[in-house]
Amino acid sequence: MEKIKTYPQHTCSWLKGRFTLYKYQEAWNHEDWLDGEIFAQQNFIAHPNDVFLCSYPKSGTTWLKALTFAIVTREKFDESTSPLLKTLPHRCIPFLEKDLVRIEESHKNSSFLPVNTHLQYNSLPESIITSNYKIVYIYRNMKDVIVSYYHFMKEIVIPMENASFEEAFDEFCEGISSCGPYWDHILGYWKASLSRPKRFLFLKYEDMKEDPTSNVKRLAEFIGRPFTIEEEKANVIEKIITLCSFENLSNLDVNKSGKHRPEECNAVENRLFFRKAKDGDWKNYFTQEMIEKVDKLIDEKFGVTGLVL
Ligand code: A3P
């Protein structure tokens, strides 16, 4: 922990100097997650059948975790008994940087439980890179990620105060953000997928909103839990989509009032994982100059990839 303080650091002025990011292995992270990252790198042993749900923060992680959990537990629970009705999706699927003990327990019991991480690809524990891993990567339009990140960080660090969106925007575009730079996060997974395409499923947040049915089917097939014809006829896919919809999850008591990891001093209120879930909310925040800056960045960083952001 003390060693982390010796890494290059940046204190975010738009968060009134109350939040510091540290640079480790080319990525920025805060102390708490960085500690868990290093611990996972030193101790995590992947199992051949592991499935990892990877994302840059604010790209739809909560939704992906809910959908994946509903898919893998559908034989045990339905839409009226699912633990998702009483539990924040982040508690249903463990987080590599924080929940190593729980992940090891599920390995010991040979129970299939996907694992979520916000780590950049190059920072994943060695045993993931060398194992027979499957990776589901969700990504989202950069402009909406910036707005979502701004609100989330402001709420958790300086809830009652104003924060400059311009400063937050500039910092993000310089690559300084939790788990950033944002483009390196996506590009790391994308480059790794070129040599092992069958091991990766890329899901785009906006596509999932437009066509949830076919994307949920792709997800289920990829993680080895395809829907049967009988299940399709019984509308199981639609029921899972409704259960995990923003409208449903954001209105549940647990997600309106509870706290995530209440034992920690930096516990986050569950409601903060559910804001608007609207595509294009950035239009309410961006100036013309900001639009041009991000479009130029997207062009420069993602031009060759074919990924549409
Ligand atoms: P907004 O801030 O734009 O509303 P993450 O889960 O990676 O932290 O991403 C959070 C974003 O996903 C937030 O976006 C949040 O509202 C949205 N979100 C949360 N649950 C969702 C769901 N079930 N369906 C669609 N979007 C969801």
Side-chain angles (χ1 to χ4, degrees):
M1 197 81 159
E2 277 313 302
K3 187 145 186 259
I4 291 172
K5 299 256 181 347
T6 66
Y7 299 158
Q9 52 183 274
H10 175 89
T11 299
C12 304
S13 58
W14 65 281
L15 292 168
K16 318 281 182 203
R18 282 178 235 157
F19 188 77
T20 298
L21 289 163
Y22 294 86
K23 196 173 192 186
Y24 173 68
Q25 296 180 338
E26 302 307 315
W28 292 97
N29 221 328
H30 58 92
E31 208 173 327
D32 200 19
W33 282 9
L34 198 43
D35 201 34
E37 167 179 347
I38 295 168
F39 188 72
Q41 286 176 342
Q42 292 167 349
N43 296 286
F44 180 71
I45 307 292
H47 269 212
N49 295 331
D50 275 342
V51 170
F52 298 92
L53 309 179
C54 308
S55 61
Y56 183 82
K58 314 326 293 170
S59 299
T61 320
T62 314
W63 191 17
L64 178 63
K65 286 173 97 164
L67 287 168
T68 307
F69 183 78
I71 291 168
V72 301
T73 60
R74 68 185 189 269
E75 282 172 10
K76 231 165 139 189
F77 308 111
D78 65 17
E79 67 282 5
S80 62
T81 56
S82 175
L84 285 164
L85 299 169
K86 297 227 160 82
T87 322
L88 177 74
H90 289 281
R91 289 198 64 79
C92 294
I93 299 269
F95 184 50
L96 181 67
E97 291 88 316
K98 288 265 180 180
D99 299 317
L100 213 57
V101 173
R102 188 170 155 212
I103 299 168
E104 281 169 356
E105 268 165 24
S106 86
H107 278 159
K108 269 193 219 139
N109 304 334
S110 310
S111 53
F112 175 72
L113 192 60
V115 174
N116 163 233
T117 179
H118 283 318
L119 292 183
Q120 295 218 2
Y121 186 80
N122 290 336
S123 298
L124 291 174
E126 184 65 23
S127 86
I128 299 182
I129 310 271
T130 53
S131 76
N132 241 3
Y133 62 78
K134 274 188 185 174
I135 286 180
V136 180
Y137 189 81
I138 187 165
Y139 64 104
R140 186 182 187 190
N141 171 312
M142 178 169 161
K143 293 172 186 145
D144 278 332
V145 170
I146 295 176
V147 172
S148 186
Y149 178 79
Y150 163 77
H151 283 283
F152 186 77
M153 294 305 296
K154 177 193 154 344
E155 285 292 323
I156 61 172
V157 182
I158 48 163
M160 307 306 286
E161 298 176 44
N162 286 333
S164 156
F165 179 71
E166 287 73 16
E167 284 178 36
F169 173 91
D170 285 342
E171 223 171 57
F172 197 99
C173 291
E174 278 165 36
I176 306 172
S177 59
S178 269
C179 309
Y182 160 88
W183 44 87
D184 283 351
H185 203 286
I186 302 182
L187 290 172
Y189 285 89
W190 177 78
K191 282 181 191 149
S193 76
L194 298 179
S195 55
R196 304 178 84 175
K198 291 206 173 113
R199 299 252 147 241
F200 287 78
L201 174 68
F202 285 86
L203 293 173
K204 191 176 171 196
Y205 180 87
E206 290 77 13
D207 292 347
M208 287 176 60
K209 290 200 92 175
E210 204 174 302
D211 184 359
T213 307
S214 57
N215 282 293
V216 167
K217 274 172 84 168
R218 286 171 74 209
L219 173 61
E221 272 161 32
F222 181 77
I223 62 180
R225 297 287 198 278
F227 293 101
T228 62
I229 294 175
E230 290 69 33
E231 284 180 314
E232 291 203 26
K233 280 190 191 149
N235 291 328
V236 173
I237 303 176
E238 285 68 28
K239 286 177 188 166
I240 286 177
I241 291 168
T242 306
L243 170 68
C244 300
S245 66
F246 179 79
E247 291 65 31
N248 188 46
L249 293 184
S250 63
N251 282 307
L252 296 173
D253 281 349
V254 61
N255 296 330
K256 283 200 287 196
S257 58
K259 275 197 172 183
H260 185 35
R261 304 188 192 280
E263 68 286 359
E264 295 187 0
C265 58
N266 299 326
V268 173
E269 288 177 64
N270 292 350
R271 68 177 178 86
L272 297 179
F273 292 101
F274 306 90
R275 194 181 63 95
K276 282 190 181 174
K278 289 259 179 301
D279 292 347
D281 192 31
W282 60 267
K283 290 177 191 146
N284 297 316
Y285 295 84
F286 276 45
T287 61
Q288 187 56 32
E289 202 184 321
M290 287 172 171
I291 297 172
E292 284 165 19
K293 187 167 176 176
V294 171
D295 285 345
K296 190 162 171 272
L297 258 174
I298 290 174
D299 229 34
E300 277 168 20
K301 304 288 182 189
F302 297 102
V304 292
T305 63
L307 293 167
V308 180
L309 286 149

